[in-house]
Amino acid sequence: MPVAGRTEPLRAVYAVEAAGIQVVRAEVLFDLAASSRYSIESRVAFTGMASWFSSGRMVTRVEGVWAGDAAQPSRYRSEGTWRGEPRQVTLDYPAGQPVLRRLVPAHDPNREPVPPPLQSHTIDSLSALAQLSRTVEETGRCEERAAIFDGHRRGNVVIRTLGRDYLPPHGPAWSGEAVRCGFVARQIAGFRRDDGEDAREPQEGTAWMARPRPGAPVLPVRVEMPGRWLGRLTAYLVELGRP
């Protein structure tokens, strides 16, 4: 259930580091206050030296409703450039099933298409995050699983509770006690034709979830995750405020 008195969206800024150097800046707008609907918008860009080697900016947004305690997306949109190429995805969910309305590039000869049966009964990654936020807020635990389809790739994510930790200060990053959630993500379709066997292996990471201030929703306050191009990544919550 939503926290009493929480009515406004929150803007969270994450600094993503590789080997102690910031490589990505992510600005996320969380609107999770209403009991019947939710939305999340993320803006991601390479920064610093990482931008010299790989250019990219993406804006991704989902709007959805709550079907009981389950996140049900209504529309998912992603647009920007990645490694110098334009990218666009629009997914609608009539009757709860994803329908691909727009995909750029429409026919990527270097990527295997995701078969229609594997697209069914999936949600997007931002809706999975909204679901995890609600689960931890209501139960204090992380137990979740999701089938993810983003227009290009299809994967499965399983999340489990690993305990509670105190996160020490790290520069401007949030610090305090948080629930430690371990996740395993595995891509099962939509591989690039030059992907190696490592792309098919499970990818493990950790997300620490907490209420970063009174009245806020439960959000990721720190995330450790694998990175294909830049190595192991750590995302730190460094700013929180109004949009």
Side-chain angles (χ1 to χ4, degrees):
M1 298 299 291
V3 175
R6 196 179 80 214
T7 59
E8 295 183 343
L10 280 177
R11 170 182 170 271
V13 177
Y14 295 88
V16 184
E17 297 183 359
I21 300 172
Q22 183 173 333
V23 293
V24 172
R25 182 182 188 274
E27 183 176 321
V28 186
L29 185 64
F30 292 95
D31 188 355
L32 304 175
S35 60
S36 59
R37 61 167 184 83
Y38 65 91
S39 69
I40 300 177
E41 179 178 291
S42 71
R43 296 174 177 267
V44 177
F46 285 111
T47 61
M49 289 189 298
S51 63
W52 301 353
F53 302 103
S54 185
S55 62
R57 289 179 177 272
M58 296 296 296
V59 179
T60 305
R61 179 177 175 84
V62 67
E63 299 171 354
V65 298
W66 293 104
D69 287 330
Q72 176 57 64
S74 303
R75 167 162 281 204
Y76 169 87
R77 298 172 63 187
S78 183
E79 184 173 8
T81 59
W82 206 250
R83 303 181 72 190
E85 298 182 357
R87 300 282 181 179
Q88 292 183 33
V89 176
T90 300
L91 286 163
D92 286 336
Y93 295 81
Q97 295 299 320
V99 176
L100 193 56
R101 302 295 192 193
R102 184 171 179 80
L103 183 66
V104 176
H107 303 288
D108 186 346
N110 296 316
R111 186 180 295 279
E112 301 170 356
V114 177
L118 287 179
Q119 299 178 25
S120 298
H121 305 290
T122 59
I123 62 175
D124 63 280
S125 57
L126 294 183
S127 291
L129 175 56
Q131 180 71 64
L132 177 61
S133 172
R134 172 166 283 205
T135 296
V136 178
E137 188 164 281
E138 292 185 343
T139 70
R141 298 183 63 80
C142 316
E143 271 64 30
E144 279 294 341
R145 61 179 60 236
I148 306 294
F149 175 59
D150 66 358
H152 296 285
R153 293 168 294 270
R154 169 69 167 83
N156 293 321
V157 179
V158 178
I159 310 172
R160 293 287 181 263
T161 309
L162 299 181
R164 298 184 70 90
D165 293 331
Y166 176 80
L167 299 179
H170 177 82
W174 183 90
S175 62
E177 188 172 280
V179 180
R180 177 163 43 104
C181 306
F183 63 87
V184 180
R186 187 168 197 166
Q187 186 176 341
I188 63 172
F191 295 100
R192 294 187 63 86
R193 300 191 188 279
D194 59 356
D195 279 340
E197 286 302 314
D198 58 326
R200 292 168 167 77
E201 295 297 319
Q203 304 294 309
E204 298 185 10
T206 307
W208 284 267
M209 305 289 293
R211 199 184 309 283
R213 72 182 189 193
V218 171
L219 300 178
V221 291
R222 192 169 297 183
V223 182
E224 292 182 356
M225 53 196 160
R228 183 171 297 183
W229 308 111
L230 299 170
R232 196 75 176 174
L233 303 174
T234 304
Y236 298 92
L237 175 63
V238 294
E239 293 180 34
L240 187 71
R242 294 181 179 179

